[in-house]
Amino acid sequence: MSSAPSADTARDERRRARRSRLYRWDVRFSPYALIAPFFLFFVAFGLFPLLYTGWASLHRVELGAPTDMEWVGLRNFSRLLDDDFFWNALRNTFTIGLLSTVPQLLMALGLAHLLNYRLRGSMFFRVAILTPYATSVAAATLVFVLMFSRTDHGLINWGLGLFGIDAVDWQNGDWTAQLAVSAIVIWRWTGYNALIYLAAMQAVPHDLYESAALDGASRWQQFLHVTVPSLRPTILFTCVVSTIGATQLFGEPLLFSQGASPTGGSDHQFQTLGLYLYEQGWFNQHLGRASAIAWTMFLLLVLIGLVNWAVSRWIRKSA
Amino acid sequence: MTDVTQTHRAPRTGGRGSGPARLRRGPLRRGRGPGKRGAGRQLHGGKLTYAVLVLFTIGSLFPLVWTAIAASRTNTRLAQTPPPFWFGGNLFKNLEIAWTDANMGTALLNTLVVAGTITIGTVLFSTLAGFAFAKLRFRFRGLLLLLVIGTMLVPPQLSVVPLFMMIAEFGWTDQLQSVILPTLVSAFGVFFMRQYLIEALPTELIEAARVDGAGSLRLIWHVVFPAARPAMAVLAMLTFVMAWNDFFWPIIALTQGGEPTVQVALAGLGRGQIPDQSVIMAGALLGTLPLLLAFVLFGKQIVGGIMQGAVKG
């Protein structure tokens, strides 16, 4: 009888000790348990393939037998630099990138400026200009292909015809095809970027405009000297993201060409790097070479990033 | 891996302050805004503003409306001048052909499964990991976070070849898991949730729950999830749109098109699987309709989400 309470307290103590031990373990190890599911997938399907691409780019690997790898060193890269189609794709990626990004961001900036006024139905306008973002690359491109039909019953050519302009063979022209592909990109992303600018504009302190107005700045001057400088980080950010997007351009040029061939037009006139990679890997069946292209694209992005960084530093210094 | 064109940055708690009404009128005579809510400018837009915005709205919506118009016509009508600007009576016939012949029915169902699974996985795992990175201390935290952020801007092209090798190795080609698993988690999602939870989840709240003896599971269920709910909704919407529209990887993983997603089926139409232009437009319409419907219903929230996810200056 007398031993019962002491046994009880002993049991209690044991239980408490176990509980506090459990609690300590919980605090120490639960963070790892929380990040584990993410990191499991991230390492398996993100990090590992990323690094393995470098290894694969040094081998001859064919699509038919992806497990047979033959070491070739840097030959994939040297062949790439000798390939005219690679340089062509690089040039096209650059020109289509410029044609689509510059007008898109300028229009987005103007659009955001207008949306920043007090408006009736402002939410309707915001949703409406964002709708293209919900349209997939594939659906959008199929529609634009029809609108850019070469004959005069194509919508765009018919519209040009109203102004007495002859029908344009959009797909087979050099510049015209690049313009049409850029138009798809511009249509899909202008509204999206406008909303990002708008969010940044709404964060600009009101008194900046007040004092600019007191100094007698016109609306246009306020836009140039208050809005744009306040938006500089956002503008830089959208430039970076759009550049990355432009480097990867794939769906639009693929579906814009006749029969969705990966050549990017009859004359490769709008074959982008993304398309060139797809053609090398999944049509010519050279996975090793495709890996080399992927790495080259990545290095290109790093290079653009460095230039971007240097330019922005220089601008900040001179400002 | 996320598609970086859709990358955002830290969510921003709205820049709402109030400023006094403007003292001076601009050179263009427009009324002063009487209201005092919201930062930014309080001026009313003039007629020109509305005109330009209406133009942009028409430009944004016209290709979609015209898709429906073209889908409701016949091929012969599409080959005539001028092009049609109003609906014909052929819509349901074309939709039916697209549904069966272009495999759009199967594709829609597949895409629903794919996008739904990816959305649930991304939101759940991002919230858990984001919470750990935002509020818990553990070894290598900074290093691991740097790793996540570092891969955020890496293009998907860089991992596509080894991914394809893996899938061939596992015998997953033309099966839906080949599209689901590689995109089930996203570095952007983790970063997004972390940025949100740093501000939205007071550390005192966690400590209080801990003092009450709540274990990690109860803490997450009763404290973290409720606090993270708004950001989870935004992330879910963005992820769903992205997964629905994903093109590059599915087109490589689902080559033979036995089990297509919507985008793969549309690419098949682009390859000229069906020569009929009006049917192709019907397919494009079918593939876009679910997301358009979501825009009609949740447009406001999606706009809010994108603006919230915009960059902090």
Side-chain angles (χ1 to χ4, degrees), chain A residues 23 26 30 32 34 42 49 53 67 113 118 120 125 134 136 143 153 158 187 192 199 202 206 213 219 237 244-245 248, chain B residues 4-5 8 12 15 24 30 39-43 45 50 59 67 79 82 139 151 155 158 162 169 216 220 245 263 291 311:
Chain A
Y23 178 79
D26 185 19
S30 66
Y32 297 106
L34 290 176
F42 177 69
T53 303
T67 43
H113 178 70
R118 293 167 62 80
R120 266 185 232 109
F125 286 127
S136 69
V143 179
H153 57 246
W158 174 80
W187 179 73
Y192 175 87
Q202 291 187 336
H206 197 70
R219 288 193 162 201
F237 170 74
I244 294 171
Q248 298 171 14
Chain B
V4 278
T5 47
H8 316 250
R12 194 169 46 71
R24 219 177 147 283
R30 288 193 191 129
R41 257 176 303 177
Q42 298 299 312
L43 294 160
Y50 280 103
T67 308
R139 279 181 72 178
T151 55
L158 203 54
E169 185 75 7
S216 287
I220 284 158
N245 289 340
Q263 310 313 328
L291 283 193
V311 201

Short mmCIF file of all heavy atoms in Angstrom, two decimals, chain A residues 23 26 30 32 34 42 49 53 67 113 118 120 125 134 136 143 153 158 187 192 199 202 206 213 219 237 244-245 248, chain B residues 4-5 8 12 15 24 30 39-43 45 50 59 67 79 82 139 151 155 158 162 169 216 220 245 263 291 311:
data_model
loop_
_atom_site.label_atom_id
_atom_site.label_comp_id
_atom_site.label_asym_id
_atom_site.label_seq_id
_atom_site.Cartn_x
_atom_site.Cartn_y
_atom_site.Cartn_z
N TYR A 23 9.14 15.94 -26.81
CA TYR A 23 8.96 17.33 -27.19
C TYR A 23 10.26 17.89 -27.76
O TYR A 23 10.27 18.58 -28.78
CB TYR A 23 8.52 18.13 -25.96
CG TYR A 23 8.35 19.60 -26.25
CD1 TYR A 23 7.20 20.05 -26.89
CD2 TYR A 23 9.33 20.52 -25.88
CE1 TYR A 23 7.03 21.40 -27.16
CE2 TYR A 23 9.16 21.86 -26.16
CZ TYR A 23 8.02 22.29 -26.79
OH TYR A 23 7.86 23.62 -27.07
N ASP A 26 10.76 16.57 -31.10
CA ASP A 26 9.81 17.21 -32.00
C ASP A 26 10.37 18.54 -32.48
O ASP A 26 10.41 18.83 -33.67
CB ASP A 26 8.49 17.41 -31.25
CG ASP A 26 7.41 17.97 -32.17
OD1 ASP A 26 7.58 17.85 -33.39
OD2 ASP A 26 6.42 18.51 -31.66
N SER A 30 11.39 18.21 -36.30
CA SER A 30 10.24 18.51 -37.15
C SER A 30 10.57 19.43 -38.33
O SER A 30 9.99 19.25 -39.40
CB SER A 30 9.09 19.07 -36.32
OG SER A 30 9.41 20.32 -35.79
N TYR A 32 13.04 19.32 -40.25
CA TYR A 32 13.53 18.47 -41.34
C TYR A 32 12.39 17.67 -41.94
O TYR A 32 12.33 17.44 -43.14
CB TYR A 32 14.64 17.55 -40.83
CG TYR A 32 15.83 18.32 -40.35
CD1 TYR A 32 16.10 18.45 -38.99
CD2 TYR A 32 16.66 18.96 -41.26
CE1 TYR A 32 17.17 19.19 -38.54
CE2 TYR A 32 17.74 19.72 -40.82
CZ TYR A 32 17.99 19.82 -39.46
OH TYR A 32 19.05 20.57 -39.03
N LEU A 34 9.38 18.67 -42.12
CA LEU A 34 8.55 19.59 -42.89
C LEU A 34 9.13 19.87 -44.27
O LEU A 34 8.40 20.01 -45.24
CB LEU A 34 8.39 20.92 -42.15
CG LEU A 34 7.54 20.90 -40.88
CD1 LEU A 34 7.56 22.27 -40.21
CD2 LEU A 34 6.11 20.53 -41.24
N PHE A 42 12.31 17.69 -55.06
CA PHE A 42 13.17 18.73 -55.60
C PHE A 42 14.52 18.15 -56.04
O PHE A 42 15.03 18.46 -57.12
CB PHE A 42 13.35 19.80 -54.53
CG PHE A 42 14.28 20.92 -54.91
CD1 PHE A 42 13.91 21.84 -55.88
CD2 PHE A 42 15.50 21.07 -54.27
CE1 PHE A 42 14.75 22.87 -56.21
CE2 PHE A 42 16.35 22.11 -54.60
CZ PHE A 42 15.97 23.01 -55.58
N PRO A 49 18.51 16.16 -62.28
CA PRO A 49 18.54 16.33 -63.73
C PRO A 49 19.37 17.54 -64.15
O PRO A 49 20.07 17.51 -65.16
CB PRO A 49 17.07 16.54 -64.10
CG PRO A 49 16.30 15.96 -63.00
CD PRO A 49 17.12 16.14 -61.77
N THR A 53 22.56 16.98 -66.63
CA THR A 53 22.61 17.53 -67.99
C THR A 53 24.05 17.82 -68.39
O THR A 53 24.46 17.57 -69.53
CB THR A 53 21.78 18.81 -68.09
OG1 THR A 53 20.45 18.52 -67.68
CG2 THR A 53 21.74 19.35 -69.50
N THR A 67 20.28 4.80 -72.32
CA THR A 67 21.19 4.34 -71.27
C THR A 67 22.61 4.10 -71.80
O THR A 67 23.54 4.01 -71.02
CB THR A 67 20.66 3.06 -70.61
OG1 THR A 67 20.18 2.20 -71.63
CG2 THR A 67 19.54 3.37 -69.64
N HIS A 113 -0.18 52.81 -66.00
CA HIS A 113 -0.36 54.22 -65.67
C HIS A 113 -1.83 54.62 -65.81
O HIS A 113 -2.39 55.31 -64.95
CB HIS A 113 0.52 55.06 -66.59
CG HIS A 113 0.39 56.53 -66.38
ND1 HIS A 113 0.87 57.15 -65.25
CD2 HIS A 113 -0.18 57.50 -67.13
CE1 HIS A 113 0.60 58.45 -65.34
NE2 HIS A 113 -0.04 58.68 -66.46
N ARG A 118 -8.42 56.78 -61.02
CA ARG A 118 -9.69 56.29 -60.48
C ARG A 118 -10.62 56.06 -61.65
O ARG A 118 -10.88 56.97 -62.42
CB ARG A 118 -10.30 57.32 -59.54
CG ARG A 118 -9.48 57.50 -58.28
CD ARG A 118 -9.92 58.74 -57.55
NE ARG A 118 -11.31 58.64 -57.12
CZ ARG A 118 -11.69 57.96 -56.05
NH1 ARG A 118 -10.79 57.34 -55.34
NH2 ARG A 118 -12.94 57.91 -55.69
N ARG A 120 -14.21 54.02 -63.37
CA ARG A 120 -15.38 53.18 -63.22
C ARG A 120 -15.07 51.85 -63.87
O ARG A 120 -14.52 51.80 -64.96
CB ARG A 120 -16.59 53.83 -63.91
CG ARG A 120 -17.40 54.65 -62.93
CD ARG A 120 -18.66 55.19 -63.56
NE ARG A 120 -18.70 56.64 -63.33
CZ ARG A 120 -18.52 57.53 -64.28
NH1 ARG A 120 -18.33 57.16 -65.51
NH2 ARG A 120 -18.55 58.81 -64.00
N PHE A 125 -11.61 46.12 -66.25
CA PHE A 125 -10.47 46.31 -67.15
C PHE A 125 -9.30 45.41 -66.76
O PHE A 125 -8.65 44.82 -67.60
CB PHE A 125 -10.00 47.77 -67.12
CG PHE A 125 -10.93 48.71 -67.85
CD1 PHE A 125 -11.42 49.85 -67.24
CD2 PHE A 125 -11.31 48.45 -69.17
CE1 PHE A 125 -12.28 50.71 -67.91
CE2 PHE A 125 -12.16 49.30 -69.85
CZ PHE A 125 -12.65 50.43 -69.22
N ALA A 134 -4.51 33.65 -69.28
CA ALA A 134 -5.16 32.37 -69.00
C ALA A 134 -5.22 31.49 -70.24
O ALA A 134 -5.52 30.31 -70.16
CB ALA A 134 -6.57 32.60 -68.46
N SER A 136 -3.71 29.33 -73.12
CA SER A 136 -2.45 28.59 -73.23
C SER A 136 -1.71 28.99 -74.51
O SER A 136 -2.30 29.49 -75.46
CB SER A 136 -2.71 27.09 -73.24
OG SER A 136 -3.35 26.72 -74.42
N VAL A 143 -4.99 30.09 -82.83
CA VAL A 143 -5.86 31.18 -83.26
C VAL A 143 -5.09 32.18 -84.11
O VAL A 143 -5.54 32.61 -85.18
CB VAL A 143 -6.47 31.90 -82.04
CG1 VAL A 143 -7.34 33.05 -82.49
CG2 VAL A 143 -7.25 30.93 -81.19
N HIS A 153 -8.12 36.05 -97.20
CA HIS A 153 -9.23 35.82 -96.28
C HIS A 153 -8.75 35.66 -94.84
O HIS A 153 -9.54 35.48 -93.94
CB HIS A 153 -10.10 34.63 -96.71
CG HIS A 153 -9.34 33.35 -96.85
ND1 HIS A 153 -9.16 32.73 -98.07
CD2 HIS A 153 -8.70 32.58 -95.94
CE1 HIS A 153 -8.45 31.63 -97.89
NE2 HIS A 153 -8.16 31.52 -96.63
N TRP A 158 -6.91 40.73 -94.40
CA TRP A 158 -8.15 41.39 -94.82
C TRP A 158 -8.18 42.81 -94.24
O TRP A 158 -8.54 43.76 -94.93
CB TRP A 158 -9.35 40.58 -94.33
CG TRP A 158 -10.65 41.25 -94.59
CD1 TRP A 158 -11.36 41.27 -95.76
CD2 TRP A 158 -11.42 42.00 -93.64
NE1 TRP A 158 -12.51 42.00 -95.60
CE2 TRP A 158 -12.58 42.46 -94.31
CE3 TRP A 158 -11.25 42.33 -92.29
CZ2 TRP A 158 -13.55 43.23 -93.68
CZ3 TRP A 158 -12.21 43.10 -91.66
CH2 TRP A 158 -13.35 43.53 -92.36
N TRP A 187 0.67 39.65 -77.00
CA TRP A 187 -0.74 39.54 -76.63
C TRP A 187 -0.91 38.81 -75.30
O TRP A 187 -1.70 39.20 -74.46
CB TRP A 187 -1.51 38.80 -77.73
CG TRP A 187 -2.96 38.63 -77.41
CD1 TRP A 187 -3.92 39.61 -77.42
CD2 TRP A 187 -3.62 37.42 -77.01
NE1 TRP A 187 -5.13 39.07 -77.05
CE2 TRP A 187 -4.98 37.74 -76.80
CE3 TRP A 187 -3.20 36.10 -76.80
CZ2 TRP A 187 -5.92 36.78 -76.39
CZ3 TRP A 187 -4.13 35.15 -76.40
CH2 TRP A 187 -5.48 35.50 -76.21
N TYR A 192 -0.51 41.01 -68.06
CA TYR A 192 0.10 40.46 -66.86
C TYR A 192 1.16 41.41 -66.30
O TYR A 192 1.17 41.74 -65.11
CB TYR A 192 0.71 39.10 -67.21
CG TYR A 192 1.50 38.44 -66.12
CD1 TYR A 192 0.87 37.64 -65.18
CD2 TYR A 192 2.87 38.60 -66.04
CE1 TYR A 192 1.59 37.02 -64.18
CE2 TYR A 192 3.60 37.99 -65.05
CZ TYR A 192 2.96 37.20 -64.12
OH TYR A 192 3.68 36.58 -63.13
N ALA A 199 0.69 47.26 -59.44
CA ALA A 199 0.88 46.98 -58.02
C ALA A 199 2.01 47.83 -57.46
O ALA A 199 1.92 48.38 -56.36
CB ALA A 199 1.19 45.50 -57.82
N GLN A 202 0.96 51.55 -57.12
CA GLN A 202 0.08 51.84 -56.00
C GLN A 202 0.86 51.95 -54.70
O GLN A 202 0.33 52.42 -53.70
CB GLN A 202 -1.00 50.77 -55.89
CG GLN A 202 -1.97 50.87 -57.05
CD GLN A 202 -3.14 49.95 -56.92
OE1 GLN A 202 -3.06 48.94 -56.24
NE2 GLN A 202 -4.23 50.28 -57.58
N HIS A 206 2.18 58.88 -51.89
CA HIS A 206 1.38 59.93 -52.50
C HIS A 206 2.06 61.29 -52.45
O HIS A 206 1.95 62.10 -53.36
CB HIS A 206 0.04 60.00 -51.78
CG HIS A 206 -0.99 60.74 -52.56
ND1 HIS A 206 -1.53 60.22 -53.72
CD2 HIS A 206 -1.55 61.95 -52.37
CE1 HIS A 206 -2.40 61.08 -54.20
NE2 HIS A 206 -2.43 62.14 -53.40
N ALA A 213 3.82 68.07 -57.88
CA ALA A 213 2.78 68.96 -58.40
C ALA A 213 2.99 70.39 -57.90
O ALA A 213 2.81 71.34 -58.65
CB ALA A 213 1.40 68.45 -57.96
N ARG A 219 1.64 66.45 -65.63
CA ARG A 219 1.39 65.02 -65.44
C ARG A 219 2.47 64.15 -66.09
O ARG A 219 2.89 63.15 -65.53
CB ARG A 219 0.06 64.66 -66.06
CG ARG A 219 -1.05 65.20 -65.27
CD ARG A 219 -2.28 64.54 -65.78
NE ARG A 219 -3.32 64.68 -64.80
CZ ARG A 219 -4.37 63.89 -64.78
NH1 ARG A 219 -4.45 62.92 -65.64
NH2 ARG A 219 -5.29 64.06 -63.90
N PHE A 237 13.10 43.88 -62.70
CA PHE A 237 12.62 42.53 -62.46
C PHE A 237 11.85 41.99 -63.66
O PHE A 237 12.08 40.87 -64.11
CB PHE A 237 11.73 42.53 -61.20
CG PHE A 237 10.98 41.26 -60.99
CD1 PHE A 237 11.64 40.12 -60.54
CD2 PHE A 237 9.61 41.19 -61.22
CE1 PHE A 237 10.94 38.94 -60.34
CE2 PHE A 237 8.92 40.02 -61.02
CZ PHE A 237 9.58 38.90 -60.58
N ILE A 244 14.31 35.89 -69.58
CA ILE A 244 14.36 34.45 -69.39
C ILE A 244 13.28 33.77 -70.22
O ILE A 244 13.50 32.76 -70.89
CB ILE A 244 14.21 34.09 -67.90
CG1 ILE A 244 15.41 34.61 -67.12
CG2 ILE A 244 14.08 32.60 -67.70
CD1 ILE A 244 15.28 34.51 -65.63
N GLY A 245 12.09 34.36 -70.21
CA GLY A 245 10.99 33.81 -70.99
C GLY A 245 11.31 33.81 -72.47
O GLY A 245 11.03 32.84 -73.18
N GLN A 248 13.59 31.09 -73.64
CA GLN A 248 13.00 29.74 -73.68
C GLN A 248 11.90 29.58 -74.71
O GLN A 248 11.26 28.54 -74.75
CB GLN A 248 12.34 29.42 -72.35
CG GLN A 248 13.27 29.41 -71.20
CD GLN A 248 12.47 29.30 -69.93
OE1 GLN A 248 11.30 28.99 -69.94
NE2 GLN A 248 13.12 29.57 -68.83
N VAL B 4 9.69 29.94 -65.31
CA VAL B 4 10.06 31.22 -64.72
C VAL B 4 9.33 32.41 -65.29
O VAL B 4 9.32 33.45 -64.68
CB VAL B 4 11.55 31.51 -64.89
CG1 VAL B 4 12.33 30.81 -63.84
CG2 VAL B 4 11.99 31.18 -66.24
N THR B 5 8.72 32.24 -66.44
CA THR B 5 8.00 33.39 -66.96
C THR B 5 6.88 33.76 -66.01
O THR B 5 6.29 34.80 -66.10
CB THR B 5 7.40 33.11 -68.33
OG1 THR B 5 6.74 31.85 -68.25
CG2 THR B 5 8.47 33.06 -69.38
N HIS B 8 7.07 35.20 -59.55
CA HIS B 8 6.83 36.47 -58.88
C HIS B 8 7.81 36.56 -57.74
O HIS B 8 8.65 35.72 -57.56
CB HIS B 8 5.45 36.55 -58.26
CG HIS B 8 4.42 36.04 -59.14
ND1 HIS B 8 3.51 36.84 -59.72
CD2 HIS B 8 4.18 34.80 -59.57
CE1 HIS B 8 2.73 36.10 -60.44
NE2 HIS B 8 3.11 34.88 -60.38
N ARG B 12 3.28 41.32 -51.17
CA ARG B 12 3.42 42.61 -50.54
C ARG B 12 2.12 42.93 -49.84
O ARG B 12 1.06 42.78 -50.39
CB ARG B 12 3.68 43.64 -51.62
CG ARG B 12 4.17 44.95 -51.13
CD ARG B 12 4.64 45.74 -52.32
NE ARG B 12 3.68 45.69 -53.41
CZ ARG B 12 2.53 46.32 -53.37
NH1 ARG B 12 2.17 47.01 -52.33
NH2 ARG B 12 1.72 46.26 -54.39
N GLY B 15 -0.01 48.46 -50.47
CA GLY B 15 0.48 49.79 -50.17
C GLY B 15 -0.69 50.74 -50.05
O GLY B 15 -0.95 51.54 -50.92
N ARG B 24 -3.23 70.89 -56.55
CA ARG B 24 -3.10 71.63 -57.79
C ARG B 24 -3.62 70.79 -58.92
O ARG B 24 -3.43 69.58 -58.94
CB ARG B 24 -1.59 71.82 -58.00
CG ARG B 24 -1.22 73.16 -58.56
CD ARG B 24 0.27 73.26 -58.66
NE ARG B 24 0.63 74.07 -59.80
CZ ARG B 24 0.58 73.60 -61.03
NH1 ARG B 24 0.21 72.38 -61.27
NH2 ARG B 24 0.93 74.39 -62.03
N ARG B 30 -8.99 67.90 -65.35
CA ARG B 30 -9.81 66.77 -64.93
C ARG B 30 -10.14 66.98 -63.46
O ARG B 30 -9.38 67.60 -62.74
CB ARG B 30 -9.05 65.46 -65.06
CG ARG B 30 -8.88 65.07 -66.51
CD ARG B 30 -8.41 63.66 -66.60
NE ARG B 30 -8.01 63.43 -68.00
CZ ARG B 30 -6.85 62.93 -68.34
NH1 ARG B 30 -5.99 62.62 -67.43
NH2 ARG B 30 -6.56 62.74 -69.60
N ALA B 39 -3.09 54.42 -52.00
CA ALA B 39 -1.96 55.26 -52.36
C ALA B 39 -1.98 55.43 -53.87
O ALA B 39 -2.94 55.07 -54.52
CB ALA B 39 -0.67 54.62 -51.90
N GLY B 40 -0.88 55.94 -54.42
CA GLY B 40 -0.87 56.15 -55.85
C GLY B 40 -1.68 57.40 -56.13
O GLY B 40 -1.85 58.23 -55.25
N ARG B 41 -2.17 57.53 -57.35
CA ARG B 41 -2.83 58.79 -57.64
C ARG B 41 -4.33 58.71 -57.58
O ARG B 41 -4.94 57.71 -57.89
CB ARG B 41 -2.37 59.30 -58.98
CG ARG B 41 -1.38 60.41 -58.69
CD ARG B 41 -0.77 60.94 -59.90
NE ARG B 41 -0.13 59.91 -60.66
CZ ARG B 41 0.42 60.20 -61.82
NH1 ARG B 41 0.37 61.40 -62.30
NH2 ARG B 41 1.02 59.26 -62.50
N GLN B 42 -4.90 59.79 -57.17
CA GLN B 42 -6.34 59.82 -56.91
C GLN B 42 -7.13 60.44 -58.04
O GLN B 42 -8.28 60.77 -57.87
CB GLN B 42 -6.59 60.64 -55.63
CG GLN B 42 -5.94 60.03 -54.42
CD GLN B 42 -6.50 58.64 -54.17
OE1 GLN B 42 -7.68 58.44 -54.18
NE2 GLN B 42 -5.61 57.69 -53.99
N LEU B 43 -6.49 60.69 -59.16
CA LEU B 43 -7.18 61.44 -60.20
C LEU B 43 -8.15 60.57 -60.97
O LEU B 43 -7.90 59.39 -61.17
CB LEU B 43 -6.14 62.00 -61.18
CG LEU B 43 -5.24 63.02 -60.53
CD1 LEU B 43 -3.99 63.17 -61.34
CD2 LEU B 43 -5.98 64.34 -60.43
N GLY B 45 -9.74 59.22 -64.31
CA GLY B 45 -9.30 59.11 -65.69
C GLY B 45 -10.23 59.91 -66.58
O GLY B 45 -11.42 60.00 -66.32
N TYR B 50 -10.22 56.24 -70.82
CA TYR B 50 -11.20 55.19 -71.06
C TYR B 50 -11.10 54.66 -72.48
O TYR B 50 -11.19 53.45 -72.71
CB TYR B 50 -12.62 55.73 -70.81
CG TYR B 50 -12.99 55.77 -69.35
CD1 TYR B 50 -12.98 56.95 -68.64
CD2 TYR B 50 -13.35 54.60 -68.69
CE1 TYR B 50 -13.30 56.98 -67.29
CE2 TYR B 50 -13.68 54.62 -67.34
CZ TYR B 50 -13.65 55.81 -66.65
OH TYR B 50 -13.98 55.83 -65.33
N GLY B 59 -8.63 44.45 -77.73
CA GLY B 59 -7.48 43.71 -78.23
C GLY B 59 -7.23 42.44 -77.44
O GLY B 59 -6.82 41.42 -78.00
N THR B 67 -12.12 33.18 -81.75
CA THR B 67 -11.98 31.72 -81.70
C THR B 67 -13.36 31.06 -81.69
O THR B 67 -13.62 30.11 -82.44
CB THR B 67 -11.24 31.29 -80.42
OG1 THR B 67 -10.03 32.03 -80.32
CG2 THR B 67 -10.92 29.81 -80.43
N ALA B 79 -12.85 30.15 -95.46
CA ALA B 79 -11.98 30.38 -96.61
C ALA B 79 -12.52 31.48 -97.52
O ALA B 79 -12.03 31.66 -98.62
CB ALA B 79 -11.81 29.08 -97.40
N PRO B 82 -15.13 38.64 -96.94
CA PRO B 82 -14.37 38.90 -95.71
C PRO B 82 -14.55 37.80 -94.67
O PRO B 82 -15.52 37.05 -94.76
CB PRO B 82 -15.00 40.21 -95.21
CG PRO B 82 -16.40 40.17 -95.73
CD PRO B 82 -16.33 39.46 -97.04
N ARG B 139 19.67 23.51 -38.61
CA ARG B 139 20.98 23.62 -39.26
C ARG B 139 20.84 23.65 -40.77
O ARG B 139 19.94 23.03 -41.32
CB ARG B 139 21.86 22.44 -38.84
CG ARG B 139 22.48 22.67 -37.46
CD ARG B 139 23.34 21.51 -37.09
NE ARG B 139 24.58 21.48 -37.87
CZ ARG B 139 25.52 20.58 -37.68
NH1 ARG B 139 25.37 19.66 -36.75
NH2 ARG B 139 26.62 20.60 -38.40
N THR B 151 17.74 27.81 -57.80
CA THR B 151 17.21 27.05 -58.93
C THR B 151 15.93 27.66 -59.47
O THR B 151 15.39 27.18 -60.45
CB THR B 151 16.88 25.61 -58.51
OG1 THR B 151 15.99 25.66 -57.39
CG2 THR B 151 18.12 24.84 -58.14
N PRO B 155 16.13 27.68 -66.35
CA PRO B 155 15.12 27.29 -67.33
C PRO B 155 14.87 25.78 -67.33
O PRO B 155 15.78 25.00 -67.06
CB PRO B 155 15.73 27.74 -68.66
CG PRO B 155 17.17 27.90 -68.40
CD PRO B 155 17.32 28.25 -66.96
N LEU B 158 17.02 23.01 -69.07
CA LEU B 158 18.28 22.50 -68.55
C LEU B 158 18.13 21.12 -67.93
O LEU B 158 19.11 20.41 -67.75
CB LEU B 158 18.85 23.50 -67.53
CG LEU B 158 20.34 23.41 -67.32
CD1 LEU B 158 21.07 23.53 -68.63
CD2 LEU B 158 20.81 24.47 -66.38
N PRO B 162 17.85 14.73 -68.95
CA PRO B 162 17.91 13.68 -67.92
C PRO B 162 16.52 13.25 -67.44
O PRO B 162 16.31 12.06 -67.17
CB PRO B 162 18.66 14.35 -66.78
CG PRO B 162 19.46 15.40 -67.43
CD PRO B 162 18.63 15.89 -68.56
N GLU B 169 13.59 5.18 -68.42
CA GLU B 169 14.11 4.13 -67.54
C GLU B 169 12.99 3.50 -66.71
O GLU B 169 12.93 2.28 -66.57
CB GLU B 169 15.17 4.76 -66.64
CG GLU B 169 15.90 3.80 -65.74
CD GLU B 169 16.93 2.97 -66.50
OE1 GLU B 169 17.17 3.24 -67.70
OE2 GLU B 169 17.49 2.06 -65.88
N SER B 216 4.03 19.42 -33.17
CA SER B 216 4.15 20.04 -34.49
C SER B 216 2.91 19.84 -35.35
O SER B 216 2.48 20.75 -36.05
CB SER B 216 5.37 19.47 -35.20
OG SER B 216 6.52 20.00 -34.63
N ILE B 220 0.71 22.90 -36.85
CA ILE B 220 0.53 23.16 -38.27
C ILE B 220 -0.95 23.24 -38.61
O ILE B 220 -1.40 24.13 -39.32
CB ILE B 220 1.24 22.07 -39.10
CG1 ILE B 220 2.74 22.34 -39.08
CG2 ILE B 220 0.74 22.05 -40.53
CD1 ILE B 220 3.56 21.15 -39.38
N ASN B 245 -1.62 25.06 -68.44
CA ASN B 245 -1.07 25.56 -69.69
C ASN B 245 0.34 25.07 -70.01
O ASN B 245 0.92 25.47 -71.00
CB ASN B 245 -1.07 27.10 -69.68
CG ASN B 245 -2.46 27.65 -69.80
OD1 ASN B 245 -3.37 26.96 -70.25
ND2 ASN B 245 -2.65 28.89 -69.39
N GLN B 263 -2.89 20.54 -73.81
CA GLN B 263 -1.89 21.21 -74.65
C GLN B 263 -1.29 20.25 -75.68
O GLN B 263 -1.00 20.64 -76.81
CB GLN B 263 -0.78 21.82 -73.80
CG GLN B 263 -1.26 22.69 -72.65
CD GLN B 263 -2.33 23.68 -73.04
OE1 GLN B 263 -2.34 24.18 -74.17
NE2 GLN B 263 -3.24 23.97 -72.15
N LEU B 291 -10.49 27.50 -68.05
CA LEU B 291 -9.76 28.58 -67.39
C LEU B 291 -10.49 29.91 -67.55
O LEU B 291 -10.49 30.74 -66.65
CB LEU B 291 -8.34 28.71 -67.94
CG LEU B 291 -7.32 27.68 -67.46
CD1 LEU B 291 -5.92 28.11 -67.84
CD2 LEU B 291 -7.40 27.47 -65.96
N VAL B 311 6.41 42.51 -57.41
CA VAL B 311 7.67 42.79 -56.76
C VAL B 311 7.55 43.87 -55.72
O VAL B 311 6.84 44.84 -55.90
CB VAL B 311 8.66 43.31 -57.79
CG1 VAL B 311 10.06 43.13 -57.28
CG2 VAL B 311 8.46 42.59 -59.06
#
